């Protein structure tokens, strides 16, 4: 697994934990930063995970609006917490991170959904992110 794939998983863990436990993301991020300081072999994945979490938090309202616009028939509150976190990461990479090709952002999000969520989640995540990607490309 690449360092960026590991970073996405770490970011997902942070966003999911904050959502489910109803605590500020900053609290979870601080605890993870302390843990990462003691694990220098994971430094590369930690740095990108932090970029993702910070980016999602910085653009949370816009990201959630994009998800809501393209998740036909689904509200954010109705989605499983894992799917919300995966979609937020995917939208951040699609819209706010020019270093990640759209296809990679979508594929990585779909893989996380396949691994960690329901059987239907990977198709749902793919559909939402593909629609967001098309809208972003259209400008």
């Amino acid at each position: 697994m690449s360092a960026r794939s590991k970073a996405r998983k770490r970011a997902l863990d942070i966003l999911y934990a904050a959502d489910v436990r109803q605590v500020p993301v900053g609290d979870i991020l601080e605890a993870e930063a302390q843990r990462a300081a003691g694990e220098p072999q994971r430094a590369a994945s930690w740095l990108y995970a932090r970029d993702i979490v910070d980016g999602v938090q910085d653009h949370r309202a816009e990201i959630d609006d994009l998800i809501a616009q393209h998740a036909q028939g689904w509200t954010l509150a109705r989605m499983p917490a894992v799917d919300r976190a995966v979609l937020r990461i995917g939208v951040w990479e699609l819209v706010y991170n020019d270093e990640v090709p759209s296809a990679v952002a979508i594929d990585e999000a779909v893989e996380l959904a396949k691994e960690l969520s329901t059987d239907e989640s990977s198709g749902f995540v793919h559909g939402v992110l593909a629609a967001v990607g098309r809208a972003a490309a259209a400008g």
Side-chain angles (χ1 to χ4, degrees), residues 12-13 21 31-32 38 41-42 46 52 59 68 86 89 92 138:
L12 173 65
D13 291 344
R21 292 171 44 198
E32 283 297 309
Q41 71 277 14
R42 296 173 72 182
W46 166 248
I52 293 169
H59 302 284
V86 168
I89 291 167
W92 177 78

Side-chain angles (χ1 to χ4, degrees), residues 19 24 27 29 42 58 80 86 88 90 92 95-96 98 103 109 113 122-123 137:
D19 191 7
D27 292 355
L29 201 54
R42 296 173 72 182
D58 290 346
V86 168
R88 286 173 175 151
W92 177 78
V95 176
Y96 298 101
D98 295 335
S122 61

Side-chain angles (χ1 to χ4, degrees), residues 4 8 48 51-52 89-102 105:
R4 284 213 166 176
R8 288 179 187 94
Y48 189 57
D51 285 347
I52 293 169
I89 291 167
V91 171
W92 177 78
E93 285 192 316
L94 284 169
V95 176
Y96 298 101
N97 187 351
D98 295 335
E99 296 176 13
V100 178
S102 295

Side-chain angles (χ1 to χ4, degrees), residues 5 7-8 21 23 33 41 60 71 80 85 92 110 116 123-124:
S5 293
R8 288 179 187 94
R21 292 171 44 198
V23 298
Q41 71 277 14
R60 178 78 168 261
W92 177 78
V110 168
L116 301 168
F124 175 71

Side-chain angles (χ1 to χ4, degrees), residues 56 59-71 76 79 84-85 87-88 91 96:
V56 167
H59 302 284
R60 178 78 168 261
E62 297 94 342
I63 289 169
D64 285 356
D65 283 346
L66 285 169
I67 294 169
Q69 287 173 27
H70 298 286
L76 281 165
M79 292 175 197
R84 274 194 304 273
L87 285 168
R88 286 173 175 151
V91 171
Y96 298 101

